[in-house]
Amino acid sequence: AQTVTQSQPEMSVQEAETVTLSCTYDTSENNYYLFWYKQPPSRQMILVIRQEAYKQQNATENRFSVNFQKAAKSFSLKISDSQLGDTAMYFCAFMNRGGSQGNLIFGKGTKLSVKP
Amino acid sequence: DAGITQSPRHKVTETGTPVTLRCHQTENHRYMYWYRQDPGHGLRLIHYSYGVKDTDKGEVSDGYSVSRSKTEDFLLTLESATSSQTSVYFCAISEAGGYTDTQYFGPGTRLTVL
């Protein structure tokens, strides 16, 4: 069974600085997706970034980028130029592409606080 | 934003009563999912649907049933609510299931069982 581990329950960063959130996963599959979702106080789950395991190039979306290390089964999220609106829970998630179910396996989340 | 709505958004009920949560989508996506979110657990899959009248169990399906009579609606029913089912419930949709697509989430329903 796949598992996703986020080892940092809480983190804080000063506005405009850079922060990295860690995620590791365990799987025997070779073809999968990895995601980062953001959940602000509004509770809405918002997709931040997606990475296909077969792609070596790290995904980037504006200020958000990932460091995908497939052999190490590591998938960290870097947020550059942090903004107050980045304050949220961040969830790392795994999806097996070969499975018929297609459900997401989530980590327990990292609470990020951006301080002015 | 994906067109997903959930109703009700908040509900307080008593132990032993039946509860139905509704997820409605306007995207005509094939796959729909119900997750629950609890502190310390992240989100966990309850049930999912891969088409009209086609559903299957997820990781935490005990005490829940689902139905999908139309593409746009996916209902989650707690036949006899218990306090352990107090949680935030999220519906999600995706176009192609586990093979290619991303899941997009509804706004969530906070359910309290007293």
Side-chain angles (χ1 to χ4, degrees):
Chain A
Q2 292 86 9
T3 59
V4 176
T5 301
Q6 294 179 248
S7 59
Q8 305 150 315
E10 294 192 36
M11 296 187 71
S12 65
V13 63
Q14 292 296 129
E15 195 175 9
E17 294 187 348
T18 295
V19 64
T20 298
L21 280 57
S22 301
C23 173
T24 58
Y25 58 95
D26 187 23
T27 184
S28 60
E29 303 294 335
N30 193 49
N31 193 7
Y32 50 87
Y33 284 116
L34 294 163
F35 303 85
W36 280 97
Y37 282 89
K38 168 185 177 182
Q39 187 178 42
S42 67
R43 205 171 63 204
Q44 178 73 49
M45 292 289 289
I46 302 166
L47 176 68
V48 175
I49 202 164
R50 182 177 91 170
Q51 175 79 42
E52 288 95 346
Y54 66 89
K55 290 187 177 179
Q56 293 185 341
Q57 184 174 7
N58 290 324
T60 300
E61 290 288 342
N62 301 312
R63 298 182 295 108
F64 299 87
S65 61
V66 297
N67 183 6
F68 174 47
Q69 301 291 326
K70 190 172 183 178
K73 297 181 182 176
S74 171
F75 183 61
S76 61
L77 175 70
K78 186 172 80 172
I79 306 174
S80 304
D81 185 25
S82 296
Q83 301 175 0
L84 297 177
D86 295 334
T87 292
M89 285 288 291
Y90 287 82
F91 292 94
C92 178
F94 171 98
M95 178 192 291
N96 178 17
R97 288 192 70 189
S100 60
Q101 189 171 344
N103 65 295
L104 290 165
I105 307 298
F106 284 86
K108 295 182 179 181
T110 296
K111 184 177 182 180
L112 177 67
S113 299
V114 180
K115 301 184 184 303
Chain B
D1 291 343
I4 312 168
T5 57
Q6 293 184 231
S7 59
R9 295 293 312 280
H10 303 271
K11 185 171 182 66
V12 179
T13 191
E14 294 187 351
T15 297
T17 61
V19 176
T20 296
L21 308 182
R22 180 184 183 233
C23 176
H24 179 78
Q25 60 146 329
T26 58
E27 306 295 324
N28 201 35
H29 283 3
R30 178 183 175 191
Y31 282 74
M32 300 184 76
Y33 307 82
W34 277 108
Y35 292 87
R36 62 177 288 174
Q37 183 179 26
D38 303 294
H41 288 279
L43 279 78
R44 293 177 293 174
L45 182 69
I46 304 171
H47 281 279
Y48 69 102
S49 170
Y50 46 97
V52 174
K53 299 189 185 303
D54 293 323
T55 66
D56 206 347
K57 296 179 179 180
E59 177 188 358
V60 291
S61 60
D62 287 349
Y64 301 95
S65 62
V66 291
S67 65
R68 191 168 178 201
S69 59
K70 298 184 291 184
T71 298
E72 58 265 36
D73 289 326
F74 192 33
L75 304 180
L76 177 71
T77 297
L78 290 66
E79 299 291 347
S80 178
T82 67
S83 59
S84 65
Q85 294 175 312
T86 292
S87 187
V88 179
Y89 291 86
F90 286 94
C91 174
I93 66 173
S94 70
E95 187 171 21
Y99 291 95
T100 59
D101 215 356
T102 297
Q103 292 182 24
Y104 297 94
F105 286 80
T109 294
R110 180 176 293 279
L111 175 67
T112 302
V113 183
L114 302 176

